[in-house]
Amino acid sequence: MVSQAPTIFSLQAPKDVSLTEIEAELNQVWQSYGIQGADGGLPAATRATTFTLVVYEPEETQYLLTATGFYNGPVDGILGPQTKTALQAVQKKHQLPETGSPTAETLTALRQEYFQKQHPGPKGDNHGAAMGYTFSPTSPTLADEIAIRNPCRIIALCPIAGDDEGVKAQVSAYCPIQKQSSSTLICCEYITLTGTAAALERIGGMIPALLIGGLPKFLWWKATPDAANPLFKRLAAVCNNVIVDSCNFNTPEDDLLSLQQLVETGVPLADLNWRRLSAWQELTAEAFDAPNRRAALKEIDRVNIDYEKGNAAQALLYLGWLANRLDWQPISYRQENGDYDITYIQFLSQDQKHIEAELAGVPLADMGEIIGDLIGLRLSSTNPQANCGTVICSETGGCMRMETHGGAQSSGLFQQVSSLSEQKAEVLLSQQVQRWGREALFEESLTVIGNTIKLRK
């Protein structure tokens, strides 16, 4: 059951300020409020006192091009040749001047296509909704799930395409009003910085000064992670956790390799998509809790994973976790694209047994909200006497395909992952900010799958 969103009370609507006036303006908001009104209509407000969250939003033009299928490159805010070619394709489709630049007419056409993809029905599906893009970075919706639990400061960095006119700053403050708490409003402060990617990089040295001292600091990097990006490097160096969401990666294999490189340089990474695998990991471990089943783990030599076609990140991360837990070493990686995107991976166990893994990107008529969600998985053995057969599937019909997948051994254990309504990035983010630092199991699994991807032909 989805809880109803709380009523939002605005202490300060978005207000334009100069970069040097940000702190003074926020202080003024709290000084002028702070005390309950004479009519007793609203309680006192609690200022951000738990952590700072820096959110790097994707550049709108590239994100729209990605969500509508015109672009498959990095979302980095740079209008290079690939982005210009994509813009020309949009302009040609909509009979606009083919300038290759993000004109107002072009953006309007892209927004219309994006809107259609967000809404299910004859004119579009809900695939676009999974992209998680919002056209109003100053909207309180981003922090609702966080502000309900913790008063915090959110710094939104919003790169835009076009002429470099410096960085514009806005400040605002929002408080979700909770029925169960009438004594205090729990509020979030917002600082929004908007400009070209180059302009934001220029003021990168000022951003650490806006982080609340002595409290945890998180960076949610919603664009393509790039270790060479000066702003990314600067912010990653001062934050306790760098958070990404691999379900939005345009090129999952390449971007997972980038994450592995970041881990190797000491960046404390977290992936919201990794959190979505927790139920699958728990059910897998539970399937081998019994002593006789645990002994059969070493008999597994066939792994089949089905996922929603479009992003293999979840499937790869799960396989990396499984191989890491069972100490398998990758020896080959091969891909075949078609109606089904098939990836064939071979591992070698400690006792020199070959393990064959097959990842299948399955096209679905009704795609879920998260791109690349797991549908079903099957663990089996070519040894007909082994007691390791296991099928785990979602509630969307993955079991039927897995049960008839074939193999020398029939699966002896079936489990089903319940439908998880709390898979959206904002909800997972509100859980992620309760912890920080390095996550050993994620990093180890990422290393295994990174080393596997490097074997691709």
Side-chain angles (χ1 to χ4, degrees):
M1 180 176 179
V2 180
S3 59
Q4 187 174 1
T7 302
I8 299 293
F9 174 71
S10 174
L11 290 184
Q12 171 66 63
K15 180 180 179 180
D16 293 331
V17 297
S18 71
L19 291 173
T20 57
E21 296 173 339
I22 291 174
E23 287 288 1
E25 186 62 37
L26 285 172
N27 286 333
Q28 181 62 34
V29 170
W30 296 102
Q31 289 171 7
S32 62
Y33 190 77
I35 302 174
Q36 185 171 350
D39 60 356
L42 287 170
T46 299
R47 187 177 187 179
T49 55
T50 51
F51 57 85
T52 304
L53 173 65
V54 182
V55 183
Y56 187 89
E57 292 283 350
E59 194 280 312
E60 180 186 5
T61 303
Q62 288 179 329
Y63 218 98
L64 289 172
L65 289 168
T66 298
T68 51
F70 289 96
Y71 179 72
N72 192 33
V75 182
D76 54 13
I78 300 173
L79 295 183
Q82 193 175 352
T83 305
K84 292 179 179 178
T85 299
L87 285 167
Q88 287 174 334
V90 175
Q91 291 161 345
K92 182 177 181 180
K93 177 179 178 179
H94 292 276
Q95 298 180 337
L96 299 170
E98 297 178 28
T99 62
S101 59
T103 62
E105 295 80 8
T106 306
L107 288 176
T108 297
L110 276 171
R111 287 169 183 154
Q112 289 173 345
E113 288 206 25
Y114 177 80
F115 178 82
Q116 288 182 346
K117 283 184 173 289
Q118 280 186 305
H119 295 77
K123 294 185 178 180
D125 55 35
N126 62 3
H127 184 272
M131 303 302 289
Y133 185 79
T134 171
F135 293 118
S136 179
T138 57
S139 166
T141 55
L142 167 67
D144 284 353
E145 293 289 341
I146 301 170
I148 288 171
R149 298 168 177 84
N150 305 286
C152 64
R153 171 176 290 186
I154 294 181
I155 303 173
L157 308 178
C158 305
I160 57 174
D163 297 332
D164 189 340
E165 298 178 353
V167 174
K168 297 179 181 179
Q170 284 187 335
V171 297
S172 55
Y174 296 94
C175 312
I177 300 175
Q178 299 297 308
K179 293 180 180 179
Q180 65 268 28
S181 175
S182 58
S183 59
T184 304
L185 291 176
I186 303 177
C187 305
C188 265
E189 299 176 339
Y190 285 74
I191 301 170
T192 305
L193 304 176
T194 305
T196 63
L200 290 172
E201 286 178 11
R202 282 202 308 274
I203 59 111
M206 298 178 59
I207 296 174
L210 298 175
L211 308 179
I212 301 175
L215 296 177
K217 305 165 183 66
F218 300 93
L219 170 62
W220 186 17
W221 193 266
K222 295 173 71 176
T224 303
D226 180 8
N229 184 305
L231 186 58
F232 178 89
K233 291 169 63 177
R234 185 187 296 273
L235 294 175
V238 297
C239 287
N240 300 93
N241 221 193
V242 177
I243 304 168
V244 299
D245 193 345
S246 59
C247 85
N248 289 330
F249 286 172
N250 283 353
T251 53
E253 290 88 352
D254 292 335
D255 292 337
L256 287 174
L257 283 176
S258 296
L259 293 191
Q260 182 195 2
Q261 293 166 4
L262 290 172
V263 166
E264 291 174 349
T265 62
V267 175
L269 272 178
D271 183 359
L272 300 183
N273 219 18
W274 171 260
R275 297 266 168 253
R276 297 186 180 103
L277 293 174
S278 59
W280 296 86
Q281 294 166 333
E282 289 168 8
L283 286 176
T284 303
E286 182 182 302
F288 294 94
D289 273 347
N292 62 323
R293 293 275 295 174
R294 195 175 310 155
L297 270 171
K298 62 182 181 180
E299 297 291 341
I300 296 173
D301 58 16
R302 293 293 181 271
V303 179
N304 299 92
I305 303 175
D306 285 359
Y307 63 94
E308 293 186 7
K309 183 176 179 178
N311 186 316
Q314 274 192 34
L316 289 168
L317 287 171
Y318 175 89
L319 185 61
W321 168 78
L322 185 67
N324 174 57
R325 295 292 84 194
L326 299 180
D327 202 17
W328 297 343
Q329 299 302 315
I331 56 175
S332 70
Y333 186 100
R334 179 171 60 88
Q335 293 174 295
E336 292 181 4
N337 296 323
D339 292 338
Y340 287 70
D341 289 340
I342 307 293
T343 302
Y344 300 98
I345 301 173
Q346 284 191 330
F347 295 93
L348 200 62
S349 67
Q350 281 187 305
D351 57 1
Q352 302 302 299
K353 177 184 291 187
H354 282 262
I355 296 97
E356 305 282 344
E358 178 189 287
L359 279 55
V362 181
L364 298 180
D366 183 18
M367 299 185 68
E369 290 192 2
I370 305 302
I371 305 172
D373 260 345
L374 294 193
I375 300 172
L377 63 90
R378 184 173 184 268
L379 309 178
S380 58
S381 174
T382 52
N383 175 8
Q385 304 304 315
N387 184 23
C388 63
T390 303
V391 167
I392 304 174
C393 60
S394 68
E395 292 182 341
T396 58
C399 277
M400 184 178 295
R401 173 175 155 81
M402 281 298 170
E403 288 177 39
T404 58
H405 207 284
Q409 175 200 21
S410 61
S411 296
L413 182 62
F414 297 88
Q415 301 195 73
Q416 192 170 63
V417 176
S418 299
S419 178
L420 300 177
S421 59
E422 302 299 304
Q423 294 289 285
K424 293 185 178 180
E426 286 79 3
V427 179
L428 294 171
L429 186 67
S430 70
Q431 299 167 2
Q432 182 62 46
V433 294
Q434 304 301 320
R435 63 176 76 189
W436 54 87
R438 305 183 73 93
E439 297 188 42
L441 187 55
F442 168 65
E443 292 185 358
E444 292 170 4
S445 303
L446 187 62
T447 296
V448 172
I449 208 59
N451 291 339
T452 304
I453 293 171
K454 290 175 184 176
L455 297 171
R456 63 185 169 181
K457 297 179 179 179

